Amino acid sequence: MDISNAFLHGTLHEEVYLVQPQGFVDATRPTHVCRLHKALYGLKQAPRAWFSTFSQFLLSKGFKSSHCDSSLFVLQTSTALTALLIYVDDILLTGSDPSYIAQLVSQMHATFAMKELGTMSYFLGIAVQRTAQGYFLSQHKYALEILARAGMVECKPYNSPMAVKHTVMSDDDLPFTNVSLYRGIVGALQYLTITRPDLSLAVNYACQHMHHPTIGHFKAVKRLLRYLKGTIDQGLSFSPGDFVLTGYSDADWAGNSVDRRSTTGYCMFLGSNLISWTAKKQPTVARSSTEAEYRALAQAAAELSWLVMLLRDLGISVASPPVLWCDNLSAIALASNPVFHARSKHIEVDYHFIREKVLAHNLVVRHVPTSDQLADIFTKPLSVARFHYLKDKLMVCSNPTIRLRGDVNESTSASIQGTATWDNSTQPT
């Protein structure tokens, strides 16, 4: 559903005054001002006022706001469950009682100017397709727009987003002149990682050079775009399964050759479905691989705890404690045995909360061989064979409705290619 003129529905709870608009000035009181009771577009209070108005409407209908996500509202009764998710003026509504949903939608129509868009097929740039196995989420159109912006709609595909061994060229350290182009493309790629976890590490590396990109950095972005061209029809698949939470945590110790900081990577599964992942450089330098892995474990444990609370808000109870898999035995021992104080006393106290989770049996940390570590794809560049093996394990696959890879609408390609501009000094290959 979509709310028309959402910000105009917000009721202001503080005094805001408006100068009389031109053409509507009261001749008898030209110096008077208007006091606003409703919000207007451009008013800094408008987004908060709209959300407050809409949330009060839902709370009056018996919904409860999720403690984990303020934009999620849940109504649970003895016979049905209804969930509503709002992003500004776009709304997703689902539940197990169709009659109550129809009643709620009718009440929303009576209160707000609203449009029903039917069964979810496209939401915030994400295409949702129903398949025989479940659902398929992709951002094919958005990816095409990124390639068009870079002028690489017709570029040659590549089989991996990052090179394992970087070949240094003489001009790699020279500043890249079109800084706004670099920032625009890399910023757009961040949103693409919502359905493309295989791009997370490469995008994270590119984001680290936003302030002063070089020609070498832009070459790495072009390689990423060439990989995107060859996999533009791919996305995440979801299928029905059990409500068992598992996670994989990994770290690449001192992987950054410039500041020697490590990279944290983790991925979370609900049943067989990937629901959360990250690739992020650690804020401080780790003195050992154990410390780097331990910090990654702590971040993964925090994410698992949040997911457990989110499932609880949705009325789903996790029968057994989540299992977090790690390939570092020393980090596992450090998480469950507090006697290693001498070697870990310099680590911040907040990272040690994972010990409490393990001792309270809210979390189980187990060892997994490095060959089976799925989070390895989020920590360092991999060989092509290893990269594709782990990507398949993350449920990243091609659109099941497209039989031929690269089946791009020719008219769309021609139209967006005609609008693309490029600096001649950085012509793509």
Side-chain angles (χ1 to χ4, degrees), residues 186-425:
V186 174
L189 285 170
Q190 291 185 39
Y191 190 68
L192 187 61
T193 59
I194 291 179
T195 59
R196 294 296 301 273
D198 53 322
L199 304 178
S200 297
L201 180 63
V203 173
N204 176 265
Y205 275 19
C207 290
Q208 297 176 21
H209 309 290
M210 284 287 205
H211 293 292
H212 304 289
T214 64
I215 294 178
H217 297 149
F218 190 69
K219 288 180 180 179
V221 173
K222 287 200 295 183
R223 179 190 174 107
L224 170 58
L225 293 175
R226 291 176 62 184
Y227 169 75
L228 178 61
K229 168 65 177 179
T231 59
I232 199 167
D233 64 315
Q234 294 188 355
L236 276 179
S237 62
F238 293 86
S239 58
D242 51 23
F243 294 102
V244 177
L245 270 176
T246 55
Y248 293 82
S249 170
D250 195 18
D252 182 29
W253 179 47
N256 192 301
S257 59
V258 178
D259 55 17
R260 309 308 296 175
R261 294 184 182 179
S262 308
T263 301
T264 291
Y266 65 71
C267 54
M268 307 300 168
F269 290 84
L270 183 61
S272 60
N273 302 306
L274 180 67
I275 59 174
S276 178
W277 60 90
T278 195
K280 185 177 181 181
K281 187 164 70 171
Q282 295 183 1
T284 57
V285 177
R287 299 177 63 187
S288 64
S289 59
T290 299
E291 180 181 340
E293 295 275 3
Y294 184 57
R295 293 181 184 275
L297 267 180
Q299 295 185 32
E303 182 72 7
L304 275 177
S305 300
W306 179 80
L307 290 173
V308 170
M309 292 187 294
L310 182 61
L311 290 175
R312 188 180 299 120
D313 287 342
L314 290 170
I316 301 172
S317 59
V318 180
S320 58
V323 178
L324 185 56
W325 298 92
C326 176
D327 59 1
N328 189 285
L329 291 173
S330 299
I332 296 175
L334 188 61
S336 55
N337 190 350
V339 301
F340 290 128
H341 175 69
R343 287 190 288 172
S344 61
K345 61 183 179 181
H346 64 284
I347 304 177
E348 293 87 342
V349 176
D350 58 327
Y351 282 102
H352 290 289
F353 86 99
I354 187 175
R355 290 179 176 174
E356 297 184 359
K357 294 290 183 181
V358 173
L359 293 176
H361 303 288
N362 295 326
L363 180 69
V364 177
V365 181
R366 293 179 180 171
H367 179 259
V368 62
T370 303
S371 58
D372 297 328
Q373 175 58 270
L374 302 188
D376 202 25
I377 195 174
F378 299 108
T379 61
K380 57 182 175 294
L382 302 172
S383 64
V384 175
R386 174 71 174 169
F387 176 81
H388 284 278
Y389 170 78
L390 294 179
K391 187 184 75 169
D392 293 339
K393 294 293 184 180
L394 297 180
M395 304 302 291
V396 178
C397 60
S398 298
N399 190 333
T401 62
I402 298 179
R403 301 303 179 187
L404 296 178
R405 177 170 294 186
D407 184 16
V408 181
N409 186 289
E410 295 181 357
S411 60
T412 303
S413 301
S415 62
I416 58 182
Q417 188 180 15
T419 61
T421 58
W422 195 264
D423 185 356
N424 292 331
S425 63

